[in-house]
Amino acid sequence: MKVTVVGAGAVGASCAEYIAIKDFAAEVVLVDIKEGFAEGKAMDLMQTASLNSFDTKITGVTNDYSATANSDVAVITSGIPRKPGMTREELISTNAGIVKSVAENLIKHSPDVTIIVVSNPMDTMTYLAHQATGLPKNRIIGMGGALDSARFKYRLAEALECPASDVDGMVIGGHSDTGMLPLTRLATRNSVPVSEFLSQEQMDYVREETKVGGATLTKLLGTSAWYAPGAAVSAMVQAIANDANKMFPCSCLLDGEYGLKDICIGVPALIGKNGINKIVEIDLDDAEKAKLQESAEAVRKTNGLL
Ligand SMILES: NC(=O)c1ccc[n+]([C@@H]2O[C@H](COP(=O)([O-])OP(=O)(O)OC[C@H]3O[C@@H](n4cnc5c(N)ncnc54)[C@H](O)[C@@H]3O)[C@@H](O)[C@H]2O)c1
């Protein structure tokens, strides 16, 4: 499998590193607009190959899309990240132009590619990638829910005082501090609902900390996080490589599912070699349904800024 990662910054490089360490891809091409930057990141990563025992070949190019030709998967991480105090939505004026031109360049050289959009505001950038490329709706996937769910599981494990591997849980809705919807009602520890172990107050705390998970890290780091975002993207790329039919909440173009149309927003989906195999419609209670609709309204408002 050939994977292109556009944007060799914090998230793009972390994504390339996890893909290489898991050793499932033949080739990763890093692309950046900053002269020499992707080449440098690629060389640095390749110098870990003998230490980390991988065979994946990583190369870097400066804005040369011919090197990305015939990619199976392309990850778009190009654009500016948040600074402390900023919302993801505030990035739209810079990132929309970048994501549009990158998506257009990618499909010129890889007409059969599956695109994973990471740049923020991610749901709107995923919608924009659809508009810019006209690719079938299964072949563009927004990454947000996989990360938000990992952060949810981290907070659940902390509250339960258990390893994160004991915990299952999912976050749907828009990838924003106010729009995301951690599904506490459905979260489990080894199949037992977490409500058996946690008080309402503890579950409320977990939900609220999950929603501001990105902002908390941005405040600590001075820029947005990269390890968990990179790991989340690489897990999705691996599901495509292995045709795993693995479920991730991710931003999908909806056509009536969950009562929503003509919008990209986080819902559970099965991911395999064709990208999105199926959108999974789960039974939400009335409060969850109302929150998802509210979240969709906010995403539509951001889409209106395109
Ligand atoms: N969806 C998510 O869950 C999630 C998580 C973390 C970060 N993000 C987003 O991912 C994006 C990248 O974050 P980061 O921390 O890696 O930022 P970064 O600044 O470290 O890296 C971004 C890179 O994009 C490059 N770039 C800019 N314009 C380009 C273009 N036209 N073509 C190619 N490369 C270009 C820059 O030179 C830079 O190296 C941000 O928009 C951030 O908000 C999303």
Side-chain angles (χ1 to χ4, degrees):
M1 163 179 269
K2 177 170 177 177
V3 183
T4 287
V5 179
V6 185
V11 177
S14 163
C15 168
E17 182 178 12
Y18 284 118
I19 290 172
I21 285 174
K22 293 178 185 179
D23 211 12
F24 61 83
E27 196 179 349
V28 175
V29 180
L30 279 170
V31 183
D32 205 281
I33 201 164
K34 241 188 284 174
E35 190 69 43
F37 191 61
E39 289 86 337
K41 287 281 181 107
M43 192 185 290
D44 193 10
L45 282 169
M46 278 309 282
Q47 289 170 0
T48 70
S50 62
L51 299 163
N52 287 333
S53 309
F54 62 78
D55 298 334
T56 303
K57 183 179 164 213
I58 309 168
T59 52
V61 290
T62 304
N63 225 19
D64 172 13
Y65 283 83
S66 66
T68 71
N70 302 318
S71 291
D72 301 288
V73 179
V75 180
I76 303 181
T77 75
S78 46
I80 52 166
R82 293 201 271 182
K83 291 268 171 267
M86 282 175 94
T87 66
R88 295 176 177 93
E89 290 70 21
E90 286 174 76
L91 307 173
I92 190 168
S93 56
T94 307
N95 287 355
I98 295 173
V99 170
K100 183 170 185 291
S101 74
V102 165
E104 287 167 350
N105 280 325
L106 283 170
I107 58 157
K108 269 186 218 155
H109 297 271
S110 304
D112 298 323
V113 73
T114 295
I115 294 179
I116 300 179
V117 179
V118 181
S119 309
N120 277 314
M122 184 277 295
D123 297 292
T124 297
M125 293 302 102
T126 306
Y127 186 72
L128 174 62
H130 275 288
Q131 290 180 331
T133 63
L135 281 176
K137 61 186 174 127
N138 56 303
R139 298 239 308 277
I140 300 186
I141 318 169
M143 193 296 288
L147 169 64
D148 298 332
S149 300
R151 288 177 171 159
F152 184 36
K153 287 181 244 187
Y154 163 80
R155 287 295 179 192
L156 282 168
E158 183 185 56
L160 290 160
E161 297 179 34
C162 74
S165 56
D166 250 17
V167 177
D168 203 1
M170 184 161 60
V171 177
I172 62 168
H175 179 59
S176 72
D177 296 4
T178 49
M180 73 178 75
L181 183 50
L183 294 172
T184 329
R185 181 179 63 87
L186 300 176
T188 61
R189 177 180 185 183
N190 289 354
S191 310
V192 183
V194 294
S195 56
E196 297 273 333
F197 307 107
L198 301 177
S199 65
Q200 189 58 49
E201 194 184 48
Q202 285 175 302
M203 290 195 294
D204 290 346
Y205 175 81
V206 164
R207 195 176 47 245
E208 293 314 309
E209 286 301 315
T210 301
K211 287 164 72 175
V212 297
T216 302
L217 283 162
T218 302
K219 199 170 160 202
L220 289 168
L221 297 167
T223 183
S224 65
W226 54 88
Y227 294 121
V233 181
S234 77
M236 290 171 69
V237 178
Q238 190 172 20
I240 296 171
N242 294 347
D243 195 17
N245 204 36
K246 193 172 164 69
M247 195 194 291
F248 292 93
C250 46
S251 195
C252 305
L253 182 62
L254 300 185
D255 187 22
E257 299 90 350
Y258 292 91
L260 296 166
K261 252 180 188 293
D262 192 34
I263 186 169
C264 294
I265 194 164
V267 292
L270 306 182
I271 305 298
K273 75 171 185 317
N274 297 315
I276 300 165
N277 288 341
K278 188 178 182 317
I279 291 169
V280 181
E281 288 197 76
I282 54 171
D283 277 338
L284 298 177
D285 68 19
D286 288 347
E288 290 158 354
K289 276 184 199 156
K291 283 200 181 111
L292 183 61
Q293 297 300 321
E294 209 179 288
S295 179
E297 278 321 303
V299 172
R300 281 194 206 286
K301 214 168 137 195
T302 311
N303 291 351
L305 301 173
L306 286 174

